[in-house]
Each structure stands twice: as C-alpha cells, then as structure tokens.
Amino acid sequence: MSYSHLLVAVAPTPESHHLVERAVSIARPVNGTVTLITLASDPEMYNQLAGPMMENLRELMLEETHLFLHALKDQANYPIEETIVATGELSEHILDVCVRKKIDLVICGNHNQSFFSKITCSAKRVVQSCAVDVLLVSLK
C-alpha cells in the first residue's frame, strides 16, 4: 500500500530525525507529502514563575520549538509541506489534521521516555478513533 500524505508526530529530541527519515522513505517513491506536528512545551509544567516572566518563557520555548522544526525540515532532504505546533491534547490535534489535510498515515515514535510516552498514548487514541493507519517506529 502506498501513502500520499504523511503526518509525523515529533518532539525536540534527536530521535525525531529518525521519524522524519522514515516518513521520507515512505513518501519519496510516490512523491507524497509530509507534515510535521509537535506539542509546544508549557513552561508552567516546569516551574512556578511570576506571570510576566512566564509569558517571556512561553515565547522563548515556542521559538525554540519552531527552530527545531526548521532544523528537521532542513535536514529532511525532502520537501516538508507544513509544520504544526499544537498545544493541549496531541491526539485531538492529530485527528483534526488527519481530517482537514486528508492524511493517510500517521507516524509516531515509540519508547519509554516521558514525551514519547505521551505520543504513544496519543497514537493509541488515534488508532481507536479514526480510519487512518498509524506506524509506530521503535526508537531504541
């Protein structure tokens, strides 16, 4: 089966490069499109700073997320159609993007560290909730 539009759930970790490589290897033979999605980190999860300082930290973390996605795009050696930075529940965003963008394959990483545990949990919800194929890539 060939896939023409892939959605890749990434995180700002080196393993995400492996996920993008896998997506490109699937998309390239059919000139498919690749979209990247990630969660924006919420600084409130990390510390209890005062309100104005929190807003500056939020902006900084969002900028770092965009820089990471830009680096992934540059190193993909394949056109990345779009990058999406989501907040909240990742699985809900994945389901929405799958419908709006006519995604036919979602690629997620799978290992037991905190961020990718969230993605795996999101992938389980995606598998249960929609008719889109999900590829879990081992990141060990």
Side-chain angles (χ1 to χ4, degrees):
M1 173 179 246
S2 64
Y3 297 99
S4 61
H5 196 166
L6 292 74
L7 178 65
V8 186
V10 296
T13 64
E15 290 89 354
S16 291
H17 294 280
H18 179 63
L19 294 175
V20 173
E21 288 172 9
R22 180 65 59 97
V24 167
S25 73
I26 294 169
R28 188 183 308 272
V30 295
N31 288 327
T33 57
V34 176
T35 297
L36 306 179
I37 188 168
T38 192
L39 280 177
S41 297
D42 188 353
E44 293 165 2
M45 292 173 34
Y46 301 109
N47 55 43
Q48 300 296 323
L49 297 175
M53 293 174 70
M54 189 66 75
E55 196 59 40
N56 291 340
L57 185 56
R58 188 175 288 112
E59 289 174 19
L60 177 63
M61 293 175 87
L62 186 59
E63 181 181 338
E64 287 177 353
T65 301
H66 284 290
L67 288 172
F68 175 76
L69 288 173
H70 184 71
L72 276 178
K73 282 178 69 171
D74 286 349
Q75 294 175 6
N77 295 320
Y78 190 81
I80 302 298
E81 181 175 275
E82 183 179 7
T83 59
I84 300 167
V85 178
T87 58
E89 182 59 45
L90 182 61
S91 63
E92 292 175 13
H93 291 285
I94 289 173
L95 293 172
D96 177 62
V97 171
C98 286
V99 171
R100 286 187 299 110
K101 301 285 185 179
K102 297 186 172 130
I103 301 293
D104 50 17
L105 179 66
V106 176
I107 299 177
C108 299
N110 184 24
H111 65 53
N112 292 325
Q113 292 184 353
S114 61
F115 189 87
F116 280 107
S117 294
K118 291 180 186 177
I119 289 178
T120 301
C121 182
S122 296
K124 181 178 178 182
R125 289 188 195 118
V126 170
V127 169
Q128 293 172 341
S129 302
C130 73
V132 173
D133 289 345
V134 178
L135 173 62
L136 291 176
V137 178
S138 177
L139 298 174
K140 293 182 179 185

